[in-house]
Amino acid sequence: MPAVRIRFNYNTLVLDETGVVSGHKSLCGCTVAVLDKQGQFFRLPFKGFRPHIGLTLLKLQYVKVVDVSHYYSTNFLNAGIEVPRDHYCVGVFEEGGVFLLIEEERLIVFPISLSDQLSC
């Protein structure tokens, strides 16, 4: 089952579709940090993962999920794929929460632009 390790303050949590797998749940619960267009951070519930389907007729609301440090495709006890600190993961807002998009067994990740960093 895929999972992600997120940074929250000076701690880390591992989240999968069922909730917190490792770490202190009381820190932030099953939420991830999202960066909006004004450069403000807020937390939304983490719902799991979705495959990236490319072009679609559905209107999707994409979000920038920050503070993800690792992605584990099968088991979070094995070495995962590291996400650099200055990058964000692409997610989609559906069903009152965020689903992270996966393409070819990897998270879709982009560097945070300079305008995003200046507005924070």
Side-chain angles (χ1 to χ4, degrees):
M1 177 178 295
V4 290
R5 180 177 299 277
I6 63 167
R7 296 179 202 94
F8 184 74
N9 292 338
Y10 295 100
N11 298 301
T12 61
L13 275 80
V14 177
L15 299 174
D16 67 5
E17 298 167 345
T18 61
V20 177
V21 178
S22 173
H24 298 287
K25 185 176 181 178
S26 63
L27 292 174
C28 63
C30 299
T31 61
V32 291
V34 176
L35 182 65
D36 68 5
K37 292 180 182 178
Q38 290 77 30
Q40 301 296 320
F41 292 97
F42 59 97
R43 301 199 72 80
L44 289 174
F46 178 70
K47 297 289 189 173
F49 302 91
R50 292 272 166 93
H52 183 255
I53 56 175
L55 296 175
T56 178
L57 295 176
L58 300 174
K59 184 172 175 132
L60 300 175
Q61 184 176 354
Y62 293 102
V63 294
K64 296 178 181 179
V65 179
V66 294
D67 292 338
V68 174
S69 66
H70 288 82
Y71 168 70
Y72 306 97
S73 59
T74 55
N75 184 356
F76 78 92
L77 298 175
N78 296 332
I81 300 170
E82 184 176 0
V83 177
R85 188 175 273 284
D86 60 346
H87 285 59
Y88 68 88
C89 300
V90 178
V92 64
F93 180 75
E94 288 181 354
E95 302 173 14
V98 174
F99 290 91
L100 290 176
L101 295 181
I102 298 174
E103 187 173 58
E104 298 176 6
E105 296 295 321
R106 298 181 75 107
L107 288 175
I108 300 175
V109 178
F110 292 104
I112 296 176
S113 67
L114 183 59
S115 62
D116 291 335
Q117 292 176 352
L118 293 176
S119 62
C120 294

